Amino acid sequence: MPPNPNPAPAPAPAPQDPVDAIVEQWAAVRPDLDTKAMEVFGRIYRLSRTMGDRLEKAYARFGISRGEFDVLATLRRSGEPYALSPRQLSATLMLTTGGMTGRLDKLERAGLLRRSPDPHDRRALRVTLTEKGLHLIEEAVGAGLSVQAEALSALTDEQADQLADLLRELLAGASEDRR
């Protein structure tokens, strides 16, 4: 059979990134190292920092930080009446109660939430989104998702689904509960 006069072009090589440069440097000085983990986690770390910075800018338009967004979003996700105890918030966000108190103070001063006595336990408090807080988080979550979707647009839907599945497996394998 004669050779195909129009062979399919070879796939384009993946673009180089800063992690590739680091791996190449290690290969030059320590060719014995297996740097596969460095390639994966270096990119995860860099992506996390990049997206964290982009989200911080998106939320700054609403006068809140990423940490404050997390508090408001947690209350919103809890469903009506959008109320949780400070302890529930701390556990969900993996914060100390001291760290949570600072965030709650700022958000309460801004009128985005209120703290009130728990009607079922006089020793406890309830943290509730205000109307202003509900309106703000509705807009802020959309802005954050827009930033994330823009970054994810570099992948096809199939690639994004595959990446989500792989990261879920990696996270489960790395969780402290499995050690």
Side-chain angles (χ1 to χ4, degrees):
M1 186 176 243
N4 183 347
N6 298 315
Q16 294 282 304
D17 66 17
V19 175
D20 290 320
I22 292 168
V23 168
E24 287 173 11
Q25 290 168 340
W26 277 116
V29 298
R30 288 285 312 272
D32 59 305
L33 292 177
D34 178 0
T35 57
K36 183 58 66 184
M38 185 183 298
E39 292 179 58
V40 171
F41 291 103
R43 288 184 177 99
I44 289 172
Y45 173 73
R46 285 170 182 267
L47 182 59
S48 177
R49 282 192 54 189
T50 298
M51 292 308 299
D53 291 347
R54 288 182 186 179
L55 288 170
E56 194 70 52
K57 287 179 186 172
Y59 301 145
R61 294 188 352 235
F62 301 95
I64 58 174
S65 68
R66 280 176 54 207
E68 293 156 356
F69 168 87
D70 289 343
V71 171
L72 297 173
T74 300
L75 288 167
R76 175 62 180 94
R77 288 191 320 264
S78 73
E80 288 192 50
Y82 314 119
L84 295 170
S85 72
R87 180 167 294 167
Q88 289 170 308
L89 281 167
S90 294
T92 299
L93 298 174
M94 297 182 289
L95 278 176
T96 65
T97 53
M100 180 58 65
T101 298
R103 287 184 190 178
L104 295 179
D105 287 346
K106 183 176 179 202
L107 292 167
E108 189 170 38
R109 281 192 303 273
L112 301 174
L113 58 78
R114 72 176 168 279
R115 287 179 274 199
S116 56
D118 186 320
H120 306 293
D121 182 353
R122 292 184 321 185
R123 300 166 296 161
L125 291 174
R126 299 296 287 170
V127 178
T128 307
L129 273 179
T130 62
E131 277 298 315
K132 181 179 175 182
L134 181 60
H135 178 72
L136 184 138
I137 194 59
E138 291 292 337
E139 290 189 35
V141 73
L145 285 171
S146 177
V147 167
Q148 293 169 339
E150 181 182 335
L152 204 55
S153 71
L155 304 177
T156 65
D157 286 347
E158 183 180 316
Q159 289 171 321
D161 290 343
Q162 183 180 17
L163 179 60
D165 291 342
L166 291 170
L167 289 171
R168 184 181 304 106
E169 287 181 40
L170 184 59
L171 185 58
S175 75
E176 291 183 35
D177 298 338
R178 289 194 54 183
R179 290 185 188 175

